[in-house]
Amino acid sequence: MKRNRILIIHGPNLNLLGIREKEVYGSMSIDELNNEIRRFAKEEGVDIDILQSNHEGELVDTIHGARGKFDAIVINPAAYTHTSIAIRDAIASVGIPTIEVHLSNIYSREPFRHHSYIAEVAVGQVSGFGTDSYLLGIKGSLNHLERHNR
Ligand code: DQA
């Protein structure tokens, strides 16, 4: 059976995990988070690539580059969640099932975080479970692929 390929994308400032606003995002570094993601992906038998960028255009290019290479995308668009029509349009353009994830619960925070430009084009959203948001996002995307590839 063909192995699924999932692209994991971290948006801006997530390179500073473990340093930035620890009371909101916890003390785990991005390397530790990525190791946890890799461990889970191995357990689930899925191939993954992970990318972090602080640049909107690079995130758009990365999403475009996923065409034909990945079956699903799990993205934490970080602050671009609340501002980026370009990332929203990129996801809509490539037509790859995309799950939006957030470490924090964006709905229990400042009002400007309550709106996501990405949610409308995503299969679903996982928000507020810390590292588990990514793992639940991966699991959700695998279940989605299984349902839709039957
Ligand atoms: C975040 C939530 C966003 O509002 C914020 O700008 C981030 C991280 C999260 O993972 O909780 O940078 O996406």
Side-chain angles (χ1 to χ4, degrees):
M1 211 182 92
K2 174 186 145 294
R3 278 166 77 91
N4 281 310
R5 296 155 305 173
I6 299 184
L7 177 61
I8 315 291
I9 304 178
H10 304 289
N13 301 307
L14 293 170
N15 52 311
L16 294 184
L17 278 179
I19 298 165
R20 99 185 252 231
E21 300 178 88
K22 281 193 195 176
E23 58 303 341
V24 180
Y25 301 114
S27 56
M28 194 182 250
S29 70
I30 190 161
D31 289 344
E32 289 166 334
L33 169 61
N34 287 341
N35 284 341
E36 189 59 18
I37 292 170
R38 285 194 193 96
R39 184 200 56 75
F40 184 73
K42 199 169 166 195
E43 212 172 275
E44 292 292 322
V46 54
D47 292 331
I48 58 162
D49 257 12
I50 307 179
L51 173 122
Q52 189 276 329
S53 175
N54 294 323
H55 305 278
E56 188 173 19
E58 191 178 352
L59 293 167
V60 169
D61 287 344
T62 299
I63 293 164
H64 291 178
R67 284 178 67 224
K69 295 201 189 107
F70 292 94
D71 303 295
I73 296 173
V74 172
I75 184 168
N76 182 347
Y80 287 137
T81 305
H82 320 297
T83 63
S84 182
I85 298 171
I87 292 175
R88 180 228 177 268
D89 284 353
I91 292 169
S93 304
V94 297
I96 301 171
T98 298
I99 317 280
E100 175 186 349
V101 302
H102 299 283
L103 294 157
S104 65
N105 177 355
I106 57 173
Y107 302 101
S108 68
R109 301 182 61 195
E110 304 94 322
F112 66 83
R113 296 187 203 274
H114 297 181
H115 177 258
S116 164
Y117 279 104
I118 312 304
E120 213 176 291
V121 293
V123 172
Q125 186 193 67
V126 188
S127 176
F129 295 96
T131 311
D132 283 348
S133 291
Y134 285 85
L135 311 188
L136 292 165
I138 293 170
K139 190 68 189 164
S141 65
L142 290 175
N143 288 354
H144 173 87
L145 290 172
E146 201 180 303
R147 278 197 305 276
H148 288 80
N149 294 338
R150 258 186 209 146

